[in-house]
Structures are given as structure tokens and as C-alpha cells.
């Protein structure tokens, strides 16, 4: 458990001592790069950490990530990484390391587009890094790629450009296509054209990546009624960010483009929370909510801007995040798969 708190402490200290004018920190400093490297190493070189470890090990051993036994079209990006690693005669740690590098690239790229990069990365540590990136490898890669695309969108990139990011993300987990309409509806520039592009690209990506597997998704999650303990709490974390966005509003100092993006993500978080009470499978909703998690980073990293003392605002956010991490590591039903942390192959 120490390793998780050491990672948390590194970014917490960085968030507390970073300059008051957060705009000056929007660059990859050596210390931030060191933190990114630590995240990549801890995710990539974990050993039997995560509730789905055995599933991914079986995927590596049996399907070969692209060999003759691999089912056609099933997460081809992840299959290719497995195949590449096997051709190099490495073990599953190499697959995890490559996936960790892609996720971390997207996370850092996204955080550098926020008001306070250090605090932004810290917000990701308790759940996005520790739980998602160390537990749901394929979705973590998809999320990382989408965050890289969101960073571009915040800087003014087109819906078409984000569609490309979405297509690449869907190669690792098909459900990533759900992020496209949320972003497409956020664009005000050539709104009709962007909406048309978003709808067209969404239909195409759905047909290519998700359409053929919808029956399997319905069977595995909805009909069987799989449930995720703590799904309500995790959805509530997105909802908290949505509430903060509405209440703090102008004090968060979002640009018009950023405001529209995170407004739509907030709406998505509310819809998912409502669906939790009417859908047989909380697991299905829980997994979809992963793609809404960037909302937490974007909104909570700006909370200090709403306070007269930015130091106090950062402290409050850090205490909230520490409570989240403490609660999950000590009381989550599946925390036993994360504690103790082990390096490969020790």
C-alpha cells in the first residue's frame, strides 16, 4: 500500500508548491516528467495487480494477440500489442508497459492542457491511475488516447480530428466510441457541419467497432445483470464534478469551448447516474462512466481558482482525494487484488 501513497504524495507536494499562476506551469518540467515515468513504471511493471489480471494473462497465453486463435476484429489494437510482444519473446509485463506508456502519454497531455497540471495528475491518481490503468488495461489505453484527443479539442481542434483519436481508441476498446457524440455536440464553430461529421463518424465507428459485438455486450452485461460494487460511488464522483461545474461556473474560468465540452460531459455523468437505477447491470454503466472521468480532472483542478486563497483550495481538493484513495484501498471489495503492490516478477 505504501507505493500508492508514495505516488500520491509526490504529486500532492507538487500541487502544493506549484506557482500561484498555474498558467506558468503548463509545460512538461523535469519533475513532472519524472512523475510521469513513475506512473508508467508502476502501471507497466505491476505483477498480479488488478482484478482482471488472470483474464489478461489468459488472453496473452492463449490468443496470442493476433495469432491464428485470436477472434477476428476483437480489440485489434490490443491484439497487435500482444502479438508484437510475443514476437520479441517478452512476457506480459511488456504488454502492460506499452499500454501504460500510451495511457500516461494521454493523461499528461490532457493535464498539461488544464489550469494546474500537477493538481490535475493528482486528481487522476486515486482512481484513474490506480484502479482503471492497473485493472482495466484495454479501457485504460482507450481512455488515454481519448484524453490526448480532448487536449487537442480544448486547444481548438475539429470534431474530425477527434474522430481520428476515437477510432484509434476503439482499436483497444470498442466502447470508446461513446465519447465522440459528447464532443461533437460541444463544437460551436460550424456547428451544423461538426454535428453532421460527429453523427456520421459515430455511426461509422459504431458499425465498425461496436455493432457486431452489441449482442455479446448485452448478453455479458445486461442479460446476466453483472454488478460492480461501488459503482454508485464512482458515478457519484463524476456527479460531484458536474455539480461543482454548475455551482462555481464562471469562477472556474473556463474558455467558451472548454465550458461547452465539460457541460456535455456533466450531462453524460447525470444520465449515467440515473441509468444506474434502471439498468440490470451496474457493471455496464460503471465501465461506460470511465470515459466521463476526464470531467473530474478538468473541473476539480480549477477549484482553487474559485477560492480567495488558491493554497486553501488546493488543500481541500487534496484532502478529498486522499479520502477517496484511503476509502478505496481499505474498504473496496476488490482492493485485495491491488494490495499489496508487487513488481514483476517479484
Amino acid at each position: 500500500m505504501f507505493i500508492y501513497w508514495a505516488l500520491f504524495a509526490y504529486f500532492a507536494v507538487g500541487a502544493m508548491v506549484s506557482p500561484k499562476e498555474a498558467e506558468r506551469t503548463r509545460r512538461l518540467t523535469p519533475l513532472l516528467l519524472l512523475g510521469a515515468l513513475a506512473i508508467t513504471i508502476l502501471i507497466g511493471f505491476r505483477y498480479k495487480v488488478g482484478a482482471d489480471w488472470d483474464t489478461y494473462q489468459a488472453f496473452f497465453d492463449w490468443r496470442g494477440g493476433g495469432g491464428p486463435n485470436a477472434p477476428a476484429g476483437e480489440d485489434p489494437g490490443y491484439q497487435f500489442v500482444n502479438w508484437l510482444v510475443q514476437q520479441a519473446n517478452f512476457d506480459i509485463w511488456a504488454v502492460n508497459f506499452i499500454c501504460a506508456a500510451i495511457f500516461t502519454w494521454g493523461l499528461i497531455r490532457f493535464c498539461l492542457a488544464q489550469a494546474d497540471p500537477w493538481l490535475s495528475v493528482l486528481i487522476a491518481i486515486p482512481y484513474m491511475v490506480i484502479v482503471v490503468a492497473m485493472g482495466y488495461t484495454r479501457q485504460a489505453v482507450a481512455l488515454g488516447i481519448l484524453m490526448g484527443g480532448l487536449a487537442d479539442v480544448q486547444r481548438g481542434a475539429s470534431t474530425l480530428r477527434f474522430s481520428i483519436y476515437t477510432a484509434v481508441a476503439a482499436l483497444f476498446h470498442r466502447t470508446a466510441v461513446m465519447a465522440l457524440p459528447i464532443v461533437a455536440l460541444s463544437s460551436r464553430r460550424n456547428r451544423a457541419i461538426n454535428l453532421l461529421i460527429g453523427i456520421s463518424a459515430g455511426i461509422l465507428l459504431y458499425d465498425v467497432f461496436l455493432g457486431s459485438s452489441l449482442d455479446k455486450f448485452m448478453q455479458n452485461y445486461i442479460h446476466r445483470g453483472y454488478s460492480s460494487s461501488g459503482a454508485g460511488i464512482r458515478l457519484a464522483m463524476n456527479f460531484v464534478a458536474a455539480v461543482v461545474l454548475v455551482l462555481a461556473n464562471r469562477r472556474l474560468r473556463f474558455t467558451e469551448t472548454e465550458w461547452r465540452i465539460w457541460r456535455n460531459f456533466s450531462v453524460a455523468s447525470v444520465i449515467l447516474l440515473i441509468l444506474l437505477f434502471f439498468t440490470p447491470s451496474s457493471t455496464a454503466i460503471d465501465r461506460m462512466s470511465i470515459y466521463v472521468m476526464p470531467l473530474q480532472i478538468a473541473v476539480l483542478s480549477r477549484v482553487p481558482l474559485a477560492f480567495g486563497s488558491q493554497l486553501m483550495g488546493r488543500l481541500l481538493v487534496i484532502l478529498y482525494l486522499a479520502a477517496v484513495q484511503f476509502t478505496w484501498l481499505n474498504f473496496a471489495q476488490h482492493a485485495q487484488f491491488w494490495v499489496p503492490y508487487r513488481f514483476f516478477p517479484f
Side-chain angles (χ1 to χ4, degrees):
M1 193 179 296
F2 168 79
I3 198 71
Y4 299 124
W5 286 110
L7 185 65
F8 183 95
Y10 181 84
F11 287 100
V13 171
M16 289 299 291
V17 302
S18 59
K20 290 183 178 180
E21 294 297 328
E23 293 286 342
R24 294 164 52 191
T25 69
R26 288 192 183 187
R27 56 189 177 88
L28 189 58
T29 61
L31 288 177
L32 193 56
L33 178 60
L34 181 62
L37 181 60
I39 291 174
T40 305
I41 290 173
L42 290 178
I43 297 172
F45 288 101
R46 71 189 189 277
Y47 179 66
K48 292 189 176 180
V49 171
D52 291 339
W53 176 271
D54 290 339
T55 300
Y56 284 111
Q57 182 69 64
F59 188 102
F60 181 83
D61 294 337
W62 174 55
R63 295 177 176 176
N69 294 324
E74 185 172 320
D75 300 326
Y78 185 70
Q79 285 191 24
F80 176 73
V81 172
N82 277 262
W83 175 83
L84 193 65
V85 166
Q86 289 192 340
Q87 297 308 300
N89 292 318
F90 290 131
D91 208 333
I92 192 172
W93 64 265
V95 175
N96 291 336
F97 186 81
I98 292 172
C99 292
I102 297 173
F103 166 79
T104 306
W105 165 81
L107 172 64
I108 297 300
R109 181 178 174 82
F110 178 72
C111 290
L112 288 173
Q114 308 311 313
D116 190 331
W118 279 94
L119 186 58
S120 297
V121 179
L122 178 64
I123 292 167
I125 298 298
Y127 192 78
M128 186 182 288
V129 171
I130 293 177
V131 181
V132 175
M134 293 187 184
Y136 316 139
T137 305
R138 290 174 295 171
Q139 275 195 285
V141 177
L143 178 60
I145 295 170
L146 288 176
M147 286 193 292
L150 283 170
D152 272 6
V153 173
Q154 283 193 236
R155 298 185 178 105
S158 66
T159 299
L160 181 59
R161 185 178 179 87
F162 185 74
S163 298
I164 297 173
Y165 279 98
T166 306
V168 177
L171 293 174
F172 288 88
H173 207 282
R174 300 178 181 188
T175 54
V177 299
M178 70 164 287
L180 181 57
I182 300 176
V183 174
L185 291 171
S186 303
S187 179
R188 188 172 182 179
R189 183 180 59 187
N190 299 320
R191 199 169 200 176
I193 296 176
N194 275 283
L195 182 59
L196 181 61
I197 291 173
I199 293 174
S200 301
I203 293 173
L204 176 62
L205 293 176
Y206 172 87
D207 185 61
V208 173
F209 293 109
L210 196 58
S212 61
S213 62
L214 185 60
D215 289 342
K216 181 179 178 180
F217 177 85
M218 293 291 290
Q219 180 65 31
N220 287 345
Y221 289 101
I222 305 302
H223 294 161
R224 294 181 183 178
Y226 284 169
S227 297
S228 293
S229 60
I233 295 175
R234 290 187 286 273
L235 286 164
M237 290 170 62
N238 287 335
F239 182 71
V240 167
V243 171
V244 171
L245 179 67
V246 173
L247 295 180
N249 202 341
R250 295 180 181 178
R251 285 180 292 172
L252 299 179
R253 306 178 196 176
F254 281 118
T255 66
E256 187 176 357
T257 298
E258 291 170 334
W259 163 256
R260 288 195 301 271
I261 294 172
W262 305 122
R263 175 203 61 197
N264 288 0
F265 270 80
S266 296
V267 171
S269 72
V270 173
I271 291 174
L272 288 173
L273 186 60
I274 293 173
L275 287 176
L276 181 65
F277 296 97
F278 298 97
T279 305
S281 172
S282 62
T283 299
I285 302 299
D286 191 29
R287 293 301 176 92
M288 286 190 288
S289 72
I290 288 174
Y291 301 116
V292 184
M293 291 181 66
L295 172 69
Q296 297 180 38
I297 297 176
V299 173
L300 298 184
S301 66
R302 286 179 175 266
V303 165
L305 299 177
F307 284 81
S309 169
Q310 286 201 27
L311 190 63
M312 178 59 68
R314 290 180 186 178
L315 180 59
L316 288 175
V317 173
I318 291 172
L319 290 175
Y320 164 73
L321 298 172
V324 170
Q325 182 161 309
F326 177 84
T327 301
W328 194 89
L329 289 175
N330 288 277
F331 301 107
Q333 181 178 347
H334 298 297
Q336 59 183 324
F337 296 106
W338 275 259
V339 181
Y341 177 89
R342 286 176 288 183
F343 278 101
F344 197 96
F346 303 105

